[in-house]
Each structure stands twice: as C-alpha cells, then as structure tokens.
Amino acid sequence: MPPVSPEHGPACFLVVEKAEQRLVWTNATSTQLVWQCSTGSSGGDKWREGDLATPEGVYFMTRRQTGLPEKLYGNLAFPLNYPNPVDRLRGKTGYGIWLHGRGKPLVPRDTRGCIALRTPMLKRLSSLFALQRTPVFIGETAASEFSVAEASTENELVRQVQAWAEAWEARSDTFFSFYAPSKFSRAHDAPFERFQRRKEDLFERYDWIELEIGPVQVLPGPGYWVTVFEQHFRSPSYSDIGVKRLYWQHSSQWKIVGEEWVPGTWEPPKCKNPLP
C-alpha cells in the first residue's frame, strides 16, 4: 500500500494496482477489501488525450453520476479530478477519467483510461467512502511510484498549512511566500500575479478575516504531496465552507504548486469497518 501515515492519513483510501488489475479499499484499522478491476488498454502513465492509459498519482472522486450506458458503465460512475494541478504542471492532457461500473464481463486492461469494476462491487464500495475526501492512489504497483512517507515530512507539511492559514488570516504579504509562482501559473494556466492581485484586493476589502481549518491529511504522490482539510472562511460580508487541497513540491523549500477548492459542507466520514 502507499505509505499513508496513521496520524495524518485519511480515514480510508483506495489503491488501484495496474500491474495486478486490482482495486484495494483500506481503512484506518487496516481492514482491506480487494476487487478485480480493469484499467487502460495502454500501459504506463497517462500523458496525452486519447493515449488509452490510466493516469498515475493521487486523485479524488468529484461526484456520483448515473444515467449512463449500462454495458460500458454499469449506470454508475465517479469521475476523478484528472488532470490535477501537478498533472497540468507536467503538461499532461486528457479528461474523463472515471471509476465506473461494468455491465458486461470484466476483462483486464479493457478501458480507454478509466478504472472499471463490476457494478455490484462498485455499489458496495460506494457505501464505504466519502466523495471529495477519499483519495484514490493509482500506480503500476502498490507503492513504488509514491513519495516515501516520513514523519518529519508529514509534520512539516502540517506546520506549513497552519502557517499558511495564519498568514491568510493576518492578511499578510507572507501568505504569497508559500507559493511557487511559476509552477502555480502553469498548473492553473493563469498568471500567479492574477491570483495575488485578487487576494490582495480581499485583504484590503475586509477589515478582518477568520480562517478555521480542520485536521490536515497528508498524502504522498509521485513527486509531490497533497494536504487536504476542511476550511471555513469568515469575513464581515462573506463566509464559506468546503474542502481545500494544496499540492506541494520540494526544491530548497516546500512550496505550493497548485490548489483545489470544493465548496459545500464537509461530508461526514463513512469509512467504518465493513466486516462484522
């Protein structure tokens, strides 16, 4: 399994092992459920639209989708957030990577890049995760492509998130020092200066900002890390709540190279032991 920390890891997570054509669900007590799956007909990581490969990295399910062709998708799918910010930073293209059902016999390496399960298995699995907060680790093997988990790295990234939140709340210019501007620009296909101006405008507009964040999950990826947490923003005239994901890379220092924001309430965890 990917080296997920018990202290800063998720309540449960999914692992897709492309070499073994299997999907593994694991929770915090190390209970596992294993199902056969099917991935892209081309081997290796996904780089281009239409290359028929399944991407490798850390992803999240964005929504539940039905009303789909039964034979191909089993009328149930969970689109993934491919390409994520690091994928875009690396120049990867393509879209429409789903975890979906199958209304025909499951054959290994039989998709156009998606991950397919038998529909009854996917329906059972869907009762065991929470959208937007359950990571999906995809790799050729269970762990070889992912960053090595070290307590010092995880603790440092938790500290970085806390300091980032404090700088935002203080409306301080040091907030921008947490970012890698050139990488952030490429990951979001927009100048970092635009992001900075928008934040500076908010710093001036609001007399005060309160930022409350929940427990920070720290997730290893291939050449990057992801921190995930609930974020509740308050100001004199505006407030919101949702899930924030910060994507980090290390050169001489840890820097944010991309981020994602999912508005809405923080979905209660479902990752309980499914076995009697």
Side-chain angles (χ1 to χ4, degrees):
M1 294 295 102
V4 176
S5 161
E7 181 179 1
H8 299 300
C12 69
F13 57 93
L14 307 179
V15 178
V16 177
E17 298 173 304
K18 292 163 63 175
E20 299 295 331
Q21 292 290 281
R22 68 176 190 169
L23 182 147
V24 183
W25 175 95
T26 304
N27 71 0
T29 64
S30 297
T31 298
Q32 293 187 353
L33 298 175
V34 182
W35 291 283
Q36 288 305 119
C37 71
S38 179
T39 61
S41 58
S42 295
D45 197 1
K46 183 171 187 64
W47 285 94
R48 296 289 178 265
E49 180 180 350
D51 63 10
L52 305 181
T54 299
E56 299 175 5
V58 185
Y59 299 99
F60 297 86
M61 293 165 282
T62 62
R63 65 187 186 277
R64 180 187 181 99
Q65 188 164 333
T66 56
L68 302 166
E70 177 69 29
K71 185 176 181 180
L72 284 179
Y73 305 113
N75 194 28
L76 180 61
F78 297 90
L80 302 182
N81 67 323
Y82 174 87
N84 67 27
V86 175
D87 293 328
R88 293 193 296 271
L89 171 60
R90 291 171 172 169
K92 295 184 178 184
T93 61
Y95 60 93
I97 301 299
W98 296 355
L99 170 61
H100 64 73
R102 210 51 148 185
K104 63 177 184 176
L106 196 68
V107 177
R109 299 175 180 86
D110 187 42
T111 78
R112 297 180 59 83
C114 295
I115 303 104
L117 287 178
R118 291 181 55 239
T119 302
M121 302 300 98
L122 182 58
K123 287 180 177 177
R124 183 184 179 196
L125 178 64
S126 68
S127 69
L128 301 175
F129 60 69
L131 288 175
Q132 306 290 1
R133 69 178 292 177
T134 300
V136 182
F137 297 92
I138 307 174
E140 190 64 24
T141 60
S144 60
E145 291 85 0
F146 295 94
S147 305
V148 176
E150 298 177 353
S152 59
T153 297
E154 294 172 351
N155 292 333
E156 175 61 21
L157 286 174
V158 171
R159 286 193 293 269
Q160 289 285 339
V161 170
Q162 292 168 341
W164 166 89
E166 290 169 2
W168 188 357
E169 190 173 51
R171 298 173 293 158
S172 169
D173 287 342
T174 60
F175 174 79
F176 304 107
S177 69
F178 289 89
Y179 293 83
S182 62
K183 289 186 174 182
F184 193 91
S185 297
R186 297 201 304 276
H188 293 276
D189 195 27
F192 180 78
E193 291 75 17
R194 182 186 304 171
F195 168 83
Q196 182 169 345
R197 286 195 301 271
R198 187 167 64 249
K199 291 294 184 185
E200 288 173 338
D201 288 344
L202 294 178
F203 290 174
E204 291 198 11
R205 183 186 312 170
Y206 298 137
D207 293 332
W208 53 266
I209 289 174
E210 290 182 355
L211 194 71
E212 181 182 356
I213 64 173
V216 180
Q217 296 177 9
V218 185
L219 309 174
Y224 62 93
W225 290 72
V226 190
T227 54
V228 185
F229 48 92
E230 177 189 17
Q231 175 183 295
H232 193 177
F233 175 93
R234 302 180 186 88
S235 71
S237 58
Y238 178 78
S239 67
D240 62 21
I241 188 169
V243 177
K244 177 63 69 72
R245 305 183 193 120
L246 299 177
Y247 290 75
W248 302 79
Q249 287 186 326
H250 188 273
S251 180
S252 58
Q253 302 177 64
W254 287 106
K255 295 292 184 180
I256 299 167
V257 300
E259 61 181 44
E260 293 173 323
W261 168 246
V262 184
T265 57
W266 182 248
E267 187 177 353
K270 299 180 183 177
C271 303
K272 300 178 181 178
N273 192 332
L275 304 177

